[in-house]
Amino acid sequence: MTEPSRTPSNASRYLFVLIAGLLIGIVAAVMAMRAIQARQDPFPGSLMHVMARQSQMLNDSRKQNRCTVNDTLPRLQTLRALSNDLDLAFAGLRDDPRFQQHASRFRATLNDALAAAPADCTALAAVTEQLGNDCKACHQDFR
């Protein structure tokens, strides 16, 4: 008896086309995500990240009992300088009176803290709590 001839399977071709389609799809998805990301302005998020980091460093100084003026003043000055860019970063909210009120309150808290720089951890705790409350109030309205 002779064996019937076997026809080659098309499974390897289908597998190759499937893998090629997946790779092309992944590349296209990454390109689309990058195009969308390039159209977004990174400034508002970056400003918020830097301000959050400065605030975190103030809290870390307080937890480490490093609450002298020399430890806290540079952080407060940096926060105050960054707060000047809030209107620029959130240009769409520039005309909103609530946003202006929150930004003004945040700047006023920083101005008060710079005028009478916290010299001990109790004063620093009060300042960081007030700054946190100012940030929280704005985020509740606009996040």
Side-chain angles (χ1 to χ4, degrees):
M1 287 196 128
T2 62
E3 270 186 45
S5 62
R6 297 181 124 188
T7 59
S9 173
N10 289 330
S12 62
R13 290 181 189 162
Y14 292 138
L15 182 62
F16 175 75
V17 170
L18 176 68
I19 291 172
L22 287 174
L23 289 176
I24 291 170
I26 289 170
V27 169
V30 168
M31 288 173 59
M33 296 288 285
R34 291 288 183 182
I36 291 170
Q37 184 181 20
R39 291 181 183 200
Q40 294 176 347
D41 184 13
F43 185 53
S46 299
L47 180 66
M48 289 292 106
H49 283 291
V50 173
M51 290 177 75
R53 180 67 178 140
Q54 292 294 322
S55 296
Q56 181 62 43
M57 291 170 81
L58 277 173
N59 283 326
D60 291 347
S61 292
R62 184 177 52 81
K63 289 176 185 174
Q64 296 169 359
N65 202 25
R66 297 179 52 193
C67 304
T68 65
V69 173
N70 291 335
D71 293 324
T72 60
L73 194 60
R75 304 286 171 239
L76 293 171
Q77 289 171 334
T78 301
L79 280 170
R80 180 59 181 98
L82 291 171
S83 70
N84 291 334
D85 290 334
L86 287 171
D87 293 334
L88 180 64
F90 300 100
L93 299 173
R94 183 179 302 165
D95 297 329
D96 190 323
R98 294 177 305 154
F99 180 77
Q100 288 303 318
Q101 181 183 11
H102 290 304
S104 295
R105 189 177 308 130
F106 184 72
R107 288 184 193 109
T109 301
L110 286 166
N111 288 339
D112 293 343
L114 288 171
D120 61 3
C121 289
T122 305
L124 181 59
V127 168
T128 56
E129 182 179 348
Q130 182 59 41
L131 289 173
N133 290 340
D134 292 344
C135 292
K136 188 180 197 181
C138 187
H139 287 198
Q140 284 178 343
D141 285 347
F142 295 104
R143 204 169 207 184

